[in-house]
Amino acid sequence: MENWMVACAAGALLARAGLALYTCGLVRAKNAGGALLRHVGDFCLTALTFWAVGIAILDPGGNASVLNWHALFGLRGDDAALFGGHVFLMLCVTLLASGIVVGSLSERSRFWPSFAPSVLLGGVLVPLFARWAGASGWLGRMGFHDGAGASYVHVAAGTCAAAGAIIVGGRTGKYNRDGSSNVIPGHSLPLAGGGAALIVVAWLPYVLAFSGASMLTAGMIGMNVVLAAASGGMAALIVGQLRYGKPDITLTLTGVLGALVAITAGADVMSNLFAAITGAVAGVVVPWFVLQIDLVWKADDPTGAVATHAVGGAWGLIATGLFGPAASWSEKLKSLGTQTLGLLVVALLAGGLSVVVFVAMSRLVRLRAREADEFDGLDLAEHDIGSYPDFQQTTIKSYHLREA
């Protein structure tokens, strides 16, 4: 069973690669290389932070009340043999969570300060919430069900992304003085679409890695994941057709990804019908929140990470209470209450800690990039290179003047 878990967890890392491609495609060409490098740097720092501190907070053996000091800088001895597979799985999903925040900070944050969420999520939030949501955690003992981390991966990371997007501010030129919003299209929809397709493929091993104690077979869980994604994509296609008179590409991709996030919590306890319903609702709600966040709340989120993961994960937790195995209405109401409690605890604590971290970074080391660097592009300003030097035309406003 451990070999199955480790193999599926390794497959789940493809979702992290898909996130990198998705982010690169949805930012402008002058920021694409830097966005990719941020994903690489975040991957490295998150993995090291989880190994150094996160495992001790996760405490898979349940040996400590707060922090297992013996697990700092990795498991040792019998614990390494007993819990190594579970820890590797948690490392992989923690890497997925931290990658979510990279997109929300793209194109206007400085390189090194933007890694603060890597430390926060990898060292504290994901391990702590996963411990609480597990079978032996206080939420798990109350009956909270989160099959594959909709709360501690997606709601936590989506809430962190929201805090970062608000505090760092919108990209220069995104919002006008009259309150209207300008579209800043990404440079490569095929690249973003390829990233989304890779995420879809990776979502199957990701969810199946948690299926050891599932009520359903692996085949049924896989069907639920695919049906949810298909329903979410079709619902988003219809939303785009009704709103704009034409199917919208980015909203459809968002609908598919939001549905995948939503089914994460309950894929192991839902029937195929309820999985399809969960995905279809996400395919309507998540694209609507993308527009709401951008046009009404004025939070600039280039990749739609907040809506996809925070909103999609929240709906998935609620849907698990609605469509889970509870037999009577009283049991369903109790399950809904527990799911809502877990959702609120994760969202409020993750949001509060994220605000503290981002405000501290803004005050201490300046999180926001200079306007001139935004204009030139962060590839050139921070890395001295363009992503497409053979054909990209770049107008340099002040970069070389600053170096003179």
Side-chain angles (χ1 to χ4, degrees):
M1 190 64 197
E2 183 178 6
N3 290 339
W4 162 267
M5 181 190 298
V6 170
C8 287
L13 282 179
L14 289 174
R16 182 59 201 258
L19 273 177
L21 296 178
Y22 189 70
T23 302
C24 288
L26 291 182
V27 301
R28 287 167 288 184
K30 62 183 180 180
N31 298 311
L36 179 61
L37 186 59
R38 290 177 188 228
H39 270 281
V40 174
D42 172 82
F43 176 94
C44 298
L45 185 56
T46 301
L48 292 172
T49 305
F50 179 83
W51 164 71
V53 181
I55 298 173
I57 294 177
L58 178 66
D59 190 28
N63 299 316
S65 57
V66 178
L67 182 72
N68 184 356
W69 296 96
H70 299 289
L72 289 172
F73 299 98
L75 297 176
R76 301 170 183 83
D78 292 340
D79 284 348
L82 289 172
F83 306 112
H86 176 67
V87 167
F88 177 68
L89 172 59
M90 292 309 303
L91 168 63
C92 292
V93 299
T94 303
L95 290 169
L96 176 59
S98 65
I100 292 165
V101 187
V102 175
S104 67
L105 302 178
S106 294
E107 300 204 277
R108 77 276 199 203
S109 63
R110 295 176 64 218
F111 183 79
W112 288 109
S114 68
F115 291 136
S118 309
V119 177
L120 178 63
L121 288 165
V124 180
L125 292 182
V126 175
L128 179 63
F129 294 150
R131 179 175 175 175
W132 289 352
S136 59
W138 68 271
L139 281 172
R141 293 195 299 271
M142 292 178 64
F144 181 75
H145 183 86
D146 186 0
S151 60
Y152 53 83
V153 174
H154 300 286
V155 173
T159 307
C160 182
I166 293 170
I167 291 171
V168 77
R171 289 168 287 180
T172 300
K174 174 63 178 175
Y175 298 111
N176 303 312
R177 292 183 178 180
D178 62 1
S180 59
S181 174
N182 298 316
V183 176
I184 302 180
H187 81 285
S188 177
L189 282 176
L191 189 60
L198 191 57
I199 293 172
V200 173
V201 172
W203 222 259
L204 289 168
Y206 162 40
V207 176
L208 288 172
F210 289 88
S211 64
S214 170
M215 297 176 62
L216 302 178
T217 64
M220 284 293 289
I221 294 173
M223 281 289 293
N224 283 346
V225 172
V226 173
L227 287 173
S231 300
M234 183 56 65
L237 278 170
I238 295 171
V239 168
Q241 183 71 45
L242 294 176
R243 184 179 178 91
Y244 303 113
K246 298 177 181 179
D248 186 273
I249 298 173
T250 55
L251 284 186
T252 301
L253 294 178
T254 303
V256 171
L257 297 181
L260 288 175
V261 172
I263 198 59
T264 301
D268 59 335
V269 295
M270 290 186 189
S271 66
N272 288 167
L273 174 61
F274 286 138
I277 293 173
T278 299
V281 173
V284 174
V285 172
V286 170
W288 184 84
F289 266 96
V290 169
L291 300 175
Q292 185 80 5
I293 290 168
D294 182 17
L295 301 177
V296 179
W297 298 344
K298 301 295 186 296
D300 188 10
D301 183 9
T303 60
V306 177
T308 302
H309 297 277
V311 176
W315 160 240
L317 291 170
I318 299 301
T320 301
L322 287 173
F323 305 140
S328 64
W329 281 106
S330 61
E331 291 178 350
K332 283 190 180 296
L333 288 175
K334 181 181 178 182
S335 178
L336 271 174
T338 304
Q339 296 296 104
T340 303
L341 173 64
L343 167 62
L344 292 175
V345 167
V346 171
L348 292 175
L349 186 54
L353 290 177
S354 298
V355 167
V356 171
V357 168
F358 281 116
V359 169
M361 297 302 295
S362 298
R363 300 286 177 83
L364 297 175
V365 295
R366 191 167 57 82
L367 180 61
R368 177 81 188 214
R370 294 184 178 89
E371 184 175 346
D373 290 343
E374 282 191 71
F375 185 90
D376 295 346
L378 298 183
D379 285 2
L380 185 63
E382 295 192 323
H383 310 293
D384 282 339
I385 194 169
S387 297
Y388 304 97
D390 289 338
F391 64 87
Q392 181 183 346
Q393 293 181 343
T394 303
T395 302
I396 307 303
K397 181 178 181 181
S398 60
Y399 180 77
H400 294 293
L401 294 177
R402 291 199 306 276
E403 293 299 318

